[in-house]
Structure formats: C-alpha cells, structure tokens
Amino acid sequence: MNSMPAAETALRREVIETALEMERLGINQGTSGNISARWQDGLLITPSGVPYAELKAQDIVWLPLDVSDDAVVFEQSRPSTEWRFHRDILRSRPEINAVVHTHSNAATALAIHSRGIPAHHYMVAVAGGNSIRCAPYATFGSQALSAHAITALKDRTACLLAHHGVIAIGHDLARALWLANEVEVLAQQYLLACQLGAPPVLSDEAINEVIEKFKGYGLRSKA
Ligand SMILES: [Zn+2]
C-alpha cells in the first residue's frame, strides 16, 4: 500500500470524509449508507460492515468497472453489498464521478409508498428534471435493483428506491453528498406540505426555467 499514488490516497481519504460527513448530516442510518468515487478505470467504494469512524484509506475497496461476481477481487476484500449499482452507474454515466447512497428518513418514508418527489418546490430541479423518481423494489445488492436504479436515474442525478432509500450522484463527492442531503430536505418539505392536502406542483415550463437558470448560475461550483 506504500506504493499507492498520492492522488489515490487523497481520493480514498475523501471517500472516508464524505462518509463521516454523511453521518454528521444525519442522513445515514447506522452503517446502511455507502459511497463510491471513480478512480482510473474502476471505482473506490466503502467496504461492507466497517464503521466509518474506523475506516482507514487502505480499507476503501477498489473495483474495476468491468468487475463481475466471480472476480478474484472479492476473495481479498469486501466492498459494500451495493457495489453493483455503484459500478453500473459509473459505467453508464461518464459525466458522473461519485455515488452516495443513504436510507435517510423522510425520503425513505416516501419510497416505502413507492412515491417519488414531484415538483412541489423549485429545488427539485437540482436533480435534473420535474421530479425525483422512485425505482421499483428489488432486493438490496441485486442486479435487478441496479437496473431499476439506472432507469430511474435517466436524465436525473437522484432517485429513490422503493422500500429502501436514496441514490444521489454527481461530478464529484461533495456534489453528490450535497444532493443526497438536499433530497432529504425536499422529502421533509413534501411530507409536511402533504399534511395540508395534495400539494400543488410547478409546471414543466417553470421547472425548465429553473433548470436553465441553474446551468448559468453555478450551482455546480457550490460543491
Ligand atoms: Zn441501502
């Protein structure tokens, strides 16, 4: 491990810092969340079953993007059980370099009802469109779950997973984490608004205007 390039060590540390910040934000339930970042022709991903506070740079698992179930890498390390959707998102979305997965409470409450988040607030557009979709249920860690997530993330940078949680993706770890937290805030606001009846939603035209404004407004530079 001493021969590890400095840039790789720095990215491994950034994955750990992002995991710790996810805990500080209160959007991670126990060790349920997981995080990955693109590194060369693969990904660096949090390991399975290690508390974030105990993580060291060398504990972060590297997987090649073309890794398959029977790969030798699994004999040496234990990546997060959700490595399939991390791999498949990074493989299918070249503009994305980071994936954050949480079981944050309000978003998961909606996902339990298989409900996504409509355009009740203009900030829904930060995920790329007029809604944040909810992917159908499939068993955690399965290839079916990964396929559902990829579909729900089409033209989006966040989705919910039915009876499970949230995926947020971004150009870098800071952006993906920021979005994971924003999805939780939007879900909380939506649940509150639902208490007064079915919330009115913004028109597609209004949302498209927001999307255009974000493009020129540097939300990207926020994270
Ligand atoms: Zn999960």
Side-chain angles (χ1 to χ4, degrees):
M1 280 291 174
N2 288 339
S3 60
M4 190 184 289
E8 181 178 350
T9 305
L11 187 57
R12 284 168 177 263
R13 291 203 175 116
E14 201 184 331
V15 168
I16 294 170
E17 265 313 303
T18 306
L20 291 170
E21 184 62 17
M22 181 167 69
E23 280 190 338
R24 284 192 283 267
L25 287 166
I27 56 174
N28 182 45
Q29 304 303 311
T31 57
S32 58
N34 37 73
I35 288 170
S36 69
R38 186 187 299 277
W39 173 252
Q40 295 179 343
D41 54 354
L43 61 148
L44 292 167
I45 184 166
T46 46
S48 175
V50 182
Y52 295 145
E54 295 170 21
L55 279 180
K56 295 182 179 58
Q58 62 265 30
D59 297 328
I60 302 300
V61 178
W62 185 80
L63 298 175
L65 278 181
D66 61 358
V67 71
S68 59
D69 279 18
D70 54 357
V72 106
V73 68
F74 297 108
E75 291 170 16
Q76 299 154 353
S77 57
R78 292 185 65 215
S80 159
T81 52
E82 296 294 8
W83 62 269
R84 286 182 182 82
F85 70 62
H86 287 267
R87 173 200 61 188
D88 295 345
I89 290 166
L90 292 169
R91 199 151 62 178
S92 63
R93 298 281 292 264
E95 82 284 14
I96 295 300
N97 296 312
V99 178
V100 171
H101 169 58
T102 77
H103 295 181
S104 63
N105 282 332
T108 301
L110 286 172
I112 286 165
H113 286 273
S114 294
R115 284 170 70 168
I117 305 175
H120 68 292
H121 191 291
Y122 80 86
M123 283 295 281
V124 166
V126 290
N130 64 354
S131 66
I132 295 168
R133 303 183 191 101
C134 184
Y137 178 76
T139 308
F140 78 94
S142 66
Q143 194 58 47
L145 178 63
S146 177
H148 289 329
I150 295 288
T151 302
L153 284 167
K154 188 174 189 308
D155 302 321
R156 299 286 191 275
T157 51
C159 72
L160 309 187
L161 305 172
H163 304 277
H164 187 159
V166 177
I167 297 175
I169 62 181
H171 179 71
D172 56 28
L173 283 163
R175 175 70 186 180
L177 180 67
W178 176 83
L179 183 58
N181 190 57
E182 189 61 33
V183 169
E184 177 62 10
V185 170
L186 287 165
Q188 289 169 4
Q189 292 166 346
Y190 182 58
L191 286 174
L192 277 174
C194 282
Q195 293 177 15
L196 302 176
V201 296
L202 293 165
S203 67
D204 289 353
E205 190 188 6
I207 287 293
N208 287 338
E209 209 173 302
V210 173
I211 291 170
E212 283 308 306
K213 206 161 176 176
F214 281 163
K215 280 181 189 164
Y217 203 61
L219 253 185
R220 243 167 302 174
S221 66
K222 180 166 183 172

